[in-house]
Every structure is written in structure tokens, then in C-alpha cells.
Amino acid sequence: MSRKEMCEPKDPCLNEYELLEQLMEVQFLVVELQLYLDTHPNDMEALRLYNEAAMFAHRLMQQYQREYGMLMAHAPNGREKWEWIDSPWPWEIDYKKL
Amino acid sequence: MWIYEKKLEYPVRVSRTDLGMAKYLFAQYGGPDSELSAAVRYLNQRYTIPTNRAKGLLTDIGTEEMAHWEIIATMIYKLTRGVSPEQMENAGLGAHFTQHDTALFPHDAAGVPWTAAYIQAHGDPITDLHENMAAEQKARSTYEHLIRLSDDPGIIDTLRFLREREVVHFQRFGEALNYVHEYMEKDKCY
């Protein structure tokens, strides 16, 4: 994923699976840069990219959880029911829809 | 501590039930060079490794290996969903069915259960980082064998992702090793 793609605002028409796919892509970028920075802690360009990617992943995560259900239990949940167990389990998702 | 995210690191797309492939994939679920071995090896070594770079790397790669273990589990789960005992038996998984039904269990492709004897922690950072680099190469070649055994484009796609991660982890461990060498040279008093 190029930097330009990464920074483009999300298309509001993305469905649940498309949004999940975009989140997975950006979070993977965060993981990859994290490992790189562990052994290159003074690489300022990588650090800048990491911060951008991490911020974007955070926004996508919040958006997904607001629209489609919980990905992490450690988040305030103001609705009337414990929803953590309702969203699909990763091994049960049909990724062919992505 | 760890906090679970209810999603995979990379999608798993399976075209059809394939018990033969599920059996082979157990190599990476509970075999010697499995993702389980990788996760336990790195997360166990990190306490006594000397540099912060290596502590960070063992923590973060060890964590990613747990995500890969989940990807392998998802592949096996999807490949074996809804099969009969007869189908399991015909695919060489009769012994697995006897002991586990279609539940997952950390054993290798031949049914040998996972053991801590597969991994090592010497406490010597040079030794441990070499152990880890060798482990990444063994996992890479296992993934290449698995890719050659599959004709399912979805399975092959996910296996190619996992293979590539082994290459990246090998590279990062090599960089951590170089830095540990520098660190140990600096520390010597003559």
C-alpha cells in the first residue's frame, strides 16, 4: 500500500468486509513497521510512517467497532448488552466476501 | 499482558473441504517448526536477552507468531468443517478423530504431539538468536513444501503470506544479532 492510498479518507460506502479488509491491511503495516523499528529505532522516516499508520489504524478500528461490532473487549460499551461475544469469531468469518 | 483482537492478521480463504491438506497443515500447528514452537521459543527467551532491541523483537515477533498460530488453526478448522468420521479415516486422520473428533490439537502432520523439546533457550544471546534464525528458515521451507502440496488458490495465498513473514523475521533477527555482537564487544574489559 502506498502512502497516498493509506492517507486517503475511507470511502463511506465500504461494507463490513471491505472495512475489515482495509483495517487488516493498515494494521499489518503497523506490525511490519514495528518490527523494523525494533532494530532501526533511529530511522526517522520509518518512525513517521509508523505514526501515520498507527493513527490511521486507530481511526479505522474505531469506525469498524462503531458500525459493525466489537473487535476488542477493552472498550467502553454504552449499549444495553454485553456485545463482545456477538461479533463474528475470526475463524468463522467468510473472508471470500472480502 | 496481551489483549485479544477479534480478527486475523491475514484472511483465510478456503475453496473446499480438503482433509489431506488439513493433515499436512498440522505441521505448522504443532510440529517442530510450527508457529506454536516459534511463539513459545521467542516469548520464553526474551526475559534474559541483554539488549532492548532484542527484547522488543522477541516480544513483538513472539506475539505475531501467536497470530500466525491462529491463522493455521483457522485454515485447519475451515478445511475440516462438517466432515464425517469416514472422511477423516480415508484421509489418514482416523487416529486424530479417535482422540480428538474434529477438535484441533497441537500435533505434527504425523500426529506426534507438540513438545517443549522442539525449542531451546540457552541464555547466550548469540546462541539464542542463531536458534531463532534457523527456526525461521525451517518454517520457511516447511511453508514451501506446503505450498507445493496445495492446489487451492486461497490456501496458497495465505501460505505465501506466512512464508514471507518467516523471511522478514529472519532478517530482523539477523539485525538484532549484529547489534548484540556490537554490544558484547563494547562491554568487554581487557
Side-chain angles (χ1 to χ4, degrees):
Chain A
M1 186 185 281
S2 73
R3 266 197 61 217
K4 186 168 170 298
E5 279 175 312
M6 192 182 87
C7 298
E8 272 171 6
K10 190 199 75 71
D11 179 350
C13 299
L14 286 185
N15 69 28
E16 177 176 357
Y17 293 102
E18 289 164 339
L19 182 57
L20 182 61
E21 185 180 47
Q22 191 178 19
L23 174 62
M24 287 166 85
E25 279 180 21
V26 178
Q27 283 196 329
F28 171 67
L29 186 58
V30 174
V31 168
E32 175 70 325
L33 286 164
Q34 182 176 348
L35 299 190
Y36 176 84
L37 282 159
D38 283 344
T39 55
H40 304 79
N42 303 313
D43 185 329
M44 287 301 114
E45 173 66 10
L47 182 61
R48 197 179 53 70
L49 271 174
Y50 176 88
N51 286 332
E52 268 180 46
M55 245 183 305
F56 189 42
H58 180 69
R59 284 206 307 273
L60 287 171
M61 185 86 167
Q62 284 181 318
Q63 180 180 352
Y64 182 94
Q65 296 195 112
R66 202 167 47 237
E67 293 177 20
Y68 299 116
M70 299 181 80
L71 291 172
M72 297 179 78
H74 290 238
N77 183 346
R79 295 172 213 176
E80 293 173 355
K81 176 176 179 292
W82 179 244
E83 291 180 358
W84 167 242
I85 53 175
D86 293 337
S87 53
W89 296 94
W91 55 94
E92 292 170 353
I93 294 173
D94 184 1
Y95 294 93
K96 272 180 276 191
K97 289 184 185 163
L98 292 184
Chain B
M1 74 170 287
W2 277 264
I3 298 176
Y4 187 66
E5 287 189 15
K6 218 171 170 182
K7 59 177 211 24
L8 297 182
E9 188 191 18
Y10 193 85
V12 172
R13 299 180 179 93
V14 164
S15 309
R16 59 172 195 283
T17 301
D18 184 346
L19 292 177
M21 200 60 211
K23 184 176 193 300
Y24 299 141
L25 284 166
F26 272 105
Q28 287 306 83
Y29 192 65
D33 311 316
S34 63
E35 299 293 351
L36 175 61
S37 298
V40 179
R41 179 186 290 111
Y42 307 151
L43 293 174
N44 174 72
Q45 283 176 3
R46 68 193 177 129
Y47 302 96
T48 49
I49 203 110
T51 70
N52 281 337
R53 291 182 186 205
K55 281 174 209 171
L57 205 57
L58 288 171
T59 301
D60 296 339
I61 295 182
T63 300
E64 190 183 355
E65 305 293 11
M66 291 202 289
H68 295 173
W69 198 48
E70 183 183 37
I71 289 173
I72 295 291
T74 300
M75 293 172 106
I76 295 172
Y77 171 76
K78 290 189 170 200
L79 289 168
T80 58
R81 204 163 23 170
V83 298
S84 66
E86 291 73 26
Q87 285 173 291
M88 292 283 279
E89 193 175 18
N90 292 339
L93 286 166
H96 181 97
F97 182 82
T98 304
Q99 289 171 287
H100 312 292
D101 199 313
T102 55
L104 273 77
F105 193 78
H107 59 60
D108 73 5
V112 180
W114 189 84
T115 162
Y118 291 153
I119 65 166
Q120 185 52 292
H122 261 267
D124 179 323
I126 307 290
T127 310
D128 284 348
L129 287 167
H130 274 101
E131 148 106 358
N132 302 350
M133 291 170 75
E136 294 294 336
Q137 292 298 344
K138 288 185 281 183
R140 176 190 57 77
S141 57
T142 306
Y143 280 120
E144 289 173 12
H145 299 159
L146 286 167
I147 287 166
R148 289 165 66 186
L149 286 164
S150 176
D151 57 3
D152 183 330
I155 292 284
I156 290 171
D157 178 61
T158 305
L159 290 173
R160 284 170 59 100
F161 170 80
L162 292 168
R163 178 198 171 277
E164 192 61 35
R165 299 312 293 153
E166 310 298 340
V167 176
V168 171
H169 293 171
F170 175 83
Q171 170 72 23
R172 299 281 97 88
F173 279 131
E175 291 158 359
L177 176 64
N178 289 340
Y179 191 73
V180 162
H181 273 298
E182 282 174 38
Y183 170 87
M184 291 174 84
E185 283 303 310
K186 196 177 63 192
D187 235 30
K188 269 180 192 157
C189 303
Y190 295 100

